[in-house]
Amino acid sequence: MNTLNQNKSKKFATGWLIVVACMLIQAIPFGVASNIQPQFVSYVVEEKGFTLAGFSLIFTLGTIVSAVASPFIGMMFNKISAKTMYLLGAILSGGGFLAFSMCQELWQFYIVAGIVQVGTSIISSIGISLLINSWFDDTTKGKALGLAFAGSGLGNIFLQQMTAYSLVNFGSSKSYLMFGALSLIVGIPVSLLFLRMPKNNSEIVKGNKKENGKEESQNTTTVEWGYTFKEAKNLKFFWILALGLFFLGMYVSALAVQYPAYLKVHLAIDPKFVGNVGSVFALFSLGGNLFGGALFDKLGTKGLVVAFLLAAVSCLALIFAQNIHGLAILFATLKGLSVFAYMMGPSLLVGAFFGNKEFGAILGVVQIFFAVGFAAGSSVFGLLVDNMGYGVAWWVVFAFIIVCYGSLIVASIGMTKLNKERIANLTNNSTKKAI
C-alpha cells in the first residue's frame, strides 16, 4: 500500500512539475516573443525610419509563417523527442528575438519575425498542448492546460513594465538583445531539465470520475483508440471542426482588435473609460484559462455551450453599449472569461475528438484554420464597417459566433458517437485476441 501511494505521489508530482515548467515557458519565452513586441513598434519606426504600416506587417507575416509551419511542427513532434523539439523552439524563439537587435532593413525584420513565430509555435501552442494532452487524462487535462497557459498572463504583468523601462532607457536594439537573452536563459534550461513525454501509461496523471454518486478511479486499462491524421481528415466531422475554428478566429479577431475604436471613436466614450474596459478584460483574462480548464474537466466538450453563451452575450453587450455605455464593462468581463475558447479550445477538442495517436499533426493542421480566420477577421470587419457601418458589422460578428459554436457542437456530438462505437469495436477485438 505504501509503495502504491508513493508511486501515485511521484506520478502526481512529475505531471504537475511539467505544468509548472510550461507556465515558465509561457511566462518568459512565449511572453517575450508574443506579448511585448507591440511596445517596440513606435521605437523601431522612429529609430529606423520605417513606415508604421510597413513595420506592422511583421505581425501578419509571423502569423502566416507559423500557420503554414504548424502541420510540419506537429508531425516533427511525432518523430523527434519533445525535449529536442523544445530546445529547438527555445533557440529559434529567443535567439530570433535577440537577432532583431541586429536587423537594419525591413526585410530582415520580416524574416526574423517568421523564425521567432515558428519557434514560439513549437514551445507554446503546439508543444504545450501536446505535453499536457500526453501527461493528463480527460478529467485533469483542462485544469492543467488552464494553469499552463495562465503563465502568459502572469509573466505579462512584469514583462510589460520591464519592457517600457528598457525601451525608454536603452532603445529598441539593446532591449531586443536583453529580452532575447532572457528568453534563452529561461527557455533552454527548462527545456533540458524538465520537459519530456511520459515514459509509459503509468506516469499519466488520472483523476476520479463520478458515476452513480460514486467515485471511480481512472486507473482502468483502456484500448488505444486514437486516429491517425489520414483517418481523421477522411471524417466529415474533422472538416466541421475546421469550419468552427475558422469562424472562432474570425469573431475573436474582430472583438479583440476593433472594440477600442468602436467605443472611443464611434460611440465617443471617454478614453479613460475605454482604458478601464481594457483593464477589466486583462483582469478577467487571467482567470479565464483557469475557469475554462475547470469547466472542461467537469463538463467535457459540453463546455462548448458555456463558451457560446459567454461569447454571444459579450457581443450583444458591445452592440447595445451604444445605448448603455456601462455594458462595455460586461463585454470585457465575459470576453475575458471566454479566452479559454481560443487559447485551449483547439487543443482540448482535438484531444477529445481524435485521441493521442497523432495529436500533434492533427492539431497543427486545424490550427491553420483558426489562424486564417484570425488573420481575416479584423479586415473583414473593417470592410463591413466602411460599407455598412458598425451596426451591421457587429451583427455579422454575432452570426460568426453562432456558426462557430454550431459547427463545434455538431462536430462534438458526431465524434462522441463515432468514438463510442470505435472504442467498443476495438475493445471487442482486443478481448477476442486475448481469448
Side-chain angles (χ1 to χ4, degrees):
M1 182 64 73
N2 288 336
T3 303
L4 179 62
N5 289 334
Q6 286 174 357
N7 289 337
K8 274 187 164 183
S9 177
K10 183 179 179 182
K11 176 173 67 176
F12 180 90
T14 304
W16 292 104
L17 179 62
I18 296 294
V19 172
V20 173
C22 289
M23 289 181 73
L24 286 172
I25 291 290
Q26 281 292 111
I28 305 301
F30 172 83
V32 166
S34 299
N35 292 339
I36 66 174
Q37 183 70 278
Q39 287 204 45
F40 282 80
V41 173
S42 60
Y43 289 87
V44 174
V45 167
E46 183 179 348
E47 292 171 14
K48 308 295 183 186
F50 302 146
T51 64
L52 179 61
F55 185 71
S56 295
L57 270 177
I58 65 170
F59 299 104
T60 303
L61 292 174
T63 300
I64 292 172
V65 171
S66 65
V68 171
S70 288
F72 301 101
I73 293 170
M75 293 174 188
M76 287 173 67
F77 267 107
N78 290 333
K79 300 178 184 298
I80 302 173
S81 73
K83 191 180 293 292
T84 301
M85 286 296 293
Y86 257 88
L87 184 60
L88 173 63
I91 292 172
L92 290 177
S93 181
F97 202 85
L98 185 150
F100 277 131
S101 66
M102 296 176 274
C103 293
Q104 298 298 323
E105 304 293 334
L106 203 51
W107 63 268
Q108 295 171 339
F109 279 94
Y110 294 160
I111 292 174
V112 173
I115 293 171
V116 169
Q117 290 309 311
V118 168
T120 306
S121 292
I122 294 174
I123 63 175
S124 181
S125 59
I126 295 178
I128 286 180
S129 299
L130 183 66
L131 281 171
I132 301 301
N133 198 68
S134 299
W135 274 97
F136 294 84
D137 75 345
D138 289 340
T139 64
T140 55
K141 72 174 61 172
K143 220 180 272 90
L145 200 58
L147 283 168
F149 281 126
S152 173
L154 294 173
N156 204 30
I157 295 172
F158 305 101
L159 283 177
Q160 293 296 336
Q161 297 299 321
M162 292 167 62
T163 304
Y165 176 84
S166 179
L167 286 167
V168 169
N169 289 278
F170 305 113
S172 65
S173 294
K174 194 168 183 180
S175 294
Y176 274 130
L177 179 67
M178 290 189 294
F179 283 103
L182 175 64
S183 177
L184 291 170
I185 289 169
V186 174
I188 291 176
V190 170
S191 300
L192 287 174
L193 298 176
F194 301 110
L195 297 177
R196 65 175 178 87
M197 299 292 278
K199 296 174 183 176
N200 50 54
N201 192 57
S202 67
E203 282 198 306
I204 296 174
V205 177
K206 299 176 182 179
N208 292 315
K209 183 179 179 181
K210 289 186 177 180
E211 285 189 11
N212 300 323
K214 297 179 180 179
E215 288 194 350
E216 296 185 0
S217 172
Q218 297 298 298
N219 292 323
T220 55
T221 302
T222 58
V223 295
E224 173 52 64
W225 60 270
Y227 296 78
T228 64
F229 172 68
K230 185 176 180 180
E231 291 174 321
K233 71 182 179 65
N234 288 329
L235 299 173
K236 66 179 179 180
F237 297 113
F238 173 87
W239 298 105
I240 294 174
L241 169 66
L243 177 68
L245 293 181
F246 171 78
F247 280 100
L248 178 67
M250 290 280 281
Y251 92 72
V252 166
S253 176
L255 285 177
V257 174
Q258 298 291 343
Y259 83 85
Y262 169 67
L263 295 176
K264 183 179 177 182
V265 179
H266 184 69
L267 301 186
I269 293 177
D270 181 45
K272 290 183 179 179
F273 183 81
V274 177
N276 291 336
V277 171
S279 297
V280 170
F281 170 69
L283 177 65
F284 280 88
S285 293
L286 284 174
N289 283 316
L290 298 177
F291 167 73
L295 182 72
F296 271 93
D297 282 346
K298 183 85 172 172
L299 301 178
T301 55
K302 293 176 184 176
L304 288 169
V305 176
V306 178
F308 165 68
L309 292 174
L310 289 172
V313 176
S314 70
C315 186
L316 289 173
L318 195 59
I319 291 171
F320 292 106
Q322 61 182 329
N323 301 317
I324 306 173
H325 291 174
L327 287 175
I329 298 296
L330 178 62
F331 153 76
T333 300
L334 298 181
K335 180 68 168 56
L337 287 175
S338 71
V339 295
F340 68 88
Y342 56 93
M343 289 291 290
M344 300 161 48
S347 168
L348 290 171
L349 293 177
V350 168
F353 292 175
F354 307 112
N356 293 341
K357 185 176 285 185
E358 291 191 7
F359 174 85
I362 297 171
L363 178 63
V365 172
V366 299
Q367 281 194 329
I368 291 178
F369 294 90
F370 173 78
V372 171
F374 190 86
S378 186
S379 299
V380 170
F381 184 89
L383 289 172
L384 289 169
V385 170
D386 290 341
N387 290 281
M388 288 177 276
Y390 273 105
V392 172
W394 285 128
W395 282 111
V396 171
V397 171
F398 186 76
F400 290 166
I401 293 171
I402 293 173
V403 174
C404 165
Y405 287 101
S407 301
L408 296 180
I409 290 170
V410 167
S412 176
I413 293 170
M415 286 306 302
T416 299
K417 183 179 178 181
L418 276 180
N419 289 338
K420 283 182 179 178
E421 295 172 356
R422 182 180 178 89
I423 292 170
N425 290 335
L426 289 171
T427 302
N428 290 335
N429 292 338
S430 178
T431 302
K432 289 177 181 178
K433 288 180 181 179
I435 295 173

